[in-house]
Amino acid sequence: MKFTGVIEGFYGRPWSLSQRKKLINQFTEFGGLNTYIYAPKDDFKHRQKWRELYSVTELQEISQIVEICKNNNVNFIYAIAPGIDISYSSSNDFNYLSLKLNQILRLGVEGAAILFDDIPEQFCDEDKKKYNSFAQAQAEISNKLMENINTDNWFFCPTVYCSDQTKGSLEKNDYLQELSNSLHVEFNLFWTGPNVVSPEINLVHVKELKSIFQNPIVIWDNIFANDYDLHRCFMGPFSGREEIKDEIAGILLNPNCEFELNFIPIKTFSDFCQGGREESYQNAQTEWYTQFEECISLDELQLLIEVFHLPHKLGKKGNEVVALLKSNKFDKLAQNSWDILQKLAHMEYRKLFHSIYPYAWELYYLIKKCKEGREIELLPQTRDGSLVFRLEKLKKS
């Protein structure tokens, strides 16, 4: 795959300069990762205020990341998301886009991405007069940018970016069909798979997409994204994409908002990109455990990892928790989860502590509620793999 790495593309607090530096150093330490895409949804000047140029101070910070990427042979790609309020027919808005991209490209970045995901499907009055569809409008302005701005790599995120959003089938979706006929084939096309958060992406699915698009396909992988549910994180291993590696141009993880919780996801993804390694998941757990200063045991860390595992499933120890609760064995579980909270409080690595502690508390709270026979609220969009979903099913069975 040509592009492997991370896209910082989630909603919520963007990562800090020091976290981004640490990420790029992990690319080199782990191996197999070569691309970082800057696309934090809540950087005002990436999305909400995309027309505004960055200040000197902001540029200096971005330039530091560009420099560390260069020093580590990592592609830095800058993404802009103008779709909230752009007028596709406006020469002024095209000029704003050009100025903004050129401001960043002058820093020496290796490419640009135009993102039209999660936007209102409504034209302004002027656009209604010129365009018959969003695909036509988005392709025209994106092609024009490519033709007028010289950079090595271009990426495009469509408004329909997974099968679920087609409301039918890929081949019968008017937006995708028109986009495939209009967008320059040199654009790398972002796609999240069958779903926004896809448990698996198989060969049949990718070949169906490739029957429509000639563009290289890059998976924007939300398997570890947790910005849609603030009660969960995902610390399990990368999986479910084994069939597609040779059929796509890349995979970029859009991971947990909490940077410090992404060690196992990124490490196991790195191993995948390098051909897979035996005991990858177990080795990643052991390696990450060294950051916990022996405040908790490896077994206790594994409990947290396998309760907050993947969106669609619990790990082995998570399933054991469900079995114990099903047997009404609350006391030991409640005490163990409380002990973990007390032990974590002694950690000197406070960034990691502050990242994982809310989820350790969530585990304790859920067990306590279950013990007391209280109602467990099921959050909207909570996937089947969550502990709260499993506990709710137990209550109803």
Side-chain angles (χ1 to χ4, degrees), residues 121-181:
E121 296 186 40
Q122 185 174 354
F123 278 138
C124 68
D125 290 340
E126 290 303 312
D127 288 348
K128 289 177 182 176
K129 297 174 185 176
K130 182 174 181 180
Y131 301 110
N132 296 318
S133 70
F134 276 95
Q136 179 190 6
Q138 292 170 2
E140 180 181 285
I141 198 167
S142 300
N143 291 344
K144 189 176 178 183
L145 286 168
M146 177 182 278
E147 292 160 6
N148 284 272
I149 297 176
N150 182 30
T151 191
D152 293 337
N153 302 291
W154 284 93
F155 296 79
F156 180 94
C157 185
T159 303
V160 176
Y161 54 81
C162 68
S163 296
D164 274 355
Q165 295 174 340
T166 63
K167 301 175 182 177
S169 62
L170 297 183
E171 64 271 14
K172 293 181 180 179
N173 183 266
D174 292 339
Y175 172 87
L176 293 178
Q177 288 292 342
E178 184 157 4
L179 188 67
S180 69
N181 292 326

Side-chain angles (χ1 to χ4, degrees), residues 1 5 28 42 49 52 59 73 105 146-147 149 162 192 196 200 218 235 244 254 265 268 298 322 324 330 351 362 379:
M1 295 184 291
T28 301
D42 289 316
K49 296 185 178 181
E52 293 186 18
L59 279 179
N73 296 314
L105 292 173
M146 177 182 278
E147 292 160 6
I149 297 176
C162 68
T192 67
V196 177
E200 293 185 358
V218 175
M235 300 183 284
I244 66 173
N254 179 35
T268 54
L298 177 57
V322 173
L324 287 170
F330 302 110
K351 288 183 179 178
E362 186 77 13
L379 294 171

Side-chain angles (χ1 to χ4, degrees), residues 268 278-287 298 302:
T268 54
E278 290 186 15
E279 310 297 329
S280 173
Y281 175 42
Q282 290 78 10
N283 291 341
Q285 291 178 71
T286 303
E287 191 172 342
L298 177 57
Q302 289 171 335

Side-chain angles (χ1 to χ4, degrees), residues 71-130:
N71 292 339
N72 287 274
N73 296 314
V74 171
N75 302 309
F76 180 104
I77 309 296
Y78 176 77
I80 191 165
I84 289 178
D85 61 359
I86 189 172
S87 171
Y88 298 94
S89 59
S90 166
S91 60
N92 285 337
D93 273 359
F94 176 80
N95 289 335
Y96 280 127
L97 272 174
S98 297
L99 285 169
K100 185 67 163 287
L101 288 175
N102 278 313
Q103 184 190 36
I104 302 299
L105 292 173
R106 280 195 293 270
L107 300 177
V109 310
E110 283 75 24
I114 313 299
L115 312 182
F116 292 109
D117 56 319
D118 302 347
I119 61 172
E121 296 186 40
Q122 185 174 354
F123 278 138
C124 68
D125 290 340
E126 290 303 312
D127 288 348
K128 289 177 182 176
K129 297 174 185 176
K130 182 174 181 180

Side-chain angles (χ1 to χ4, degrees), residues 264-320:
I264 290 173
I266 294 174
K267 182 65 172 69
T268 54
F269 176 54
S270 162
D271 291 342
F272 168 84
C273 293
Q274 296 175 87
R277 296 176 181 174
E278 290 186 15
E279 310 297 329
S280 173
Y281 175 42
Q282 290 78 10
N283 291 341
Q285 291 178 71
T286 303
E287 191 172 342
W288 192 35
Y289 176 65
T290 62
Q291 298 182 17
F292 285 81
E293 307 158 10
E294 298 185 345
C295 289
I296 59 175
S297 68
L298 177 57
D299 190 66
E300 288 169 327
L301 176 59
Q302 289 171 335
L303 173 64
L304 293 175
I305 292 168
E306 299 199 337
V307 167
F308 299 98
H309 196 61
L310 292 171
H312 52 287
K313 68 179 181 180
L314 298 168
K316 179 181 178 181
K317 290 183 183 296
N319 287 317
E320 289 172 359

Side-chain angles (χ1 to χ4, degrees), residues 304-354:
L304 293 175
I305 292 168
E306 299 199 337
V307 167
F308 299 98
H309 196 61
L310 292 171
H312 52 287
K313 68 179 181 180
L314 298 168
K316 179 181 178 181
K317 290 183 183 296
N319 287 317
E320 289 172 359
V321 168
V322 173
L324 287 170
L325 293 176
K326 189 174 182 179
S327 303
N328 294 320
K329 296 179 179 179
F330 302 110
D331 291 338
K332 186 177 180 180
L333 273 177
Q335 187 61 53
N336 288 348
S337 60
W338 177 255
D339 290 343
I340 290 173
L341 287 172
Q342 306 313 303
K343 294 175 183 179
L344 285 172
H346 294 282
M347 285 180 61
E348 293 187 15
Y349 184 5
R350 299 311 277 180
K351 288 183 179 178
L352 179 54
F353 164 75
H354 287 303

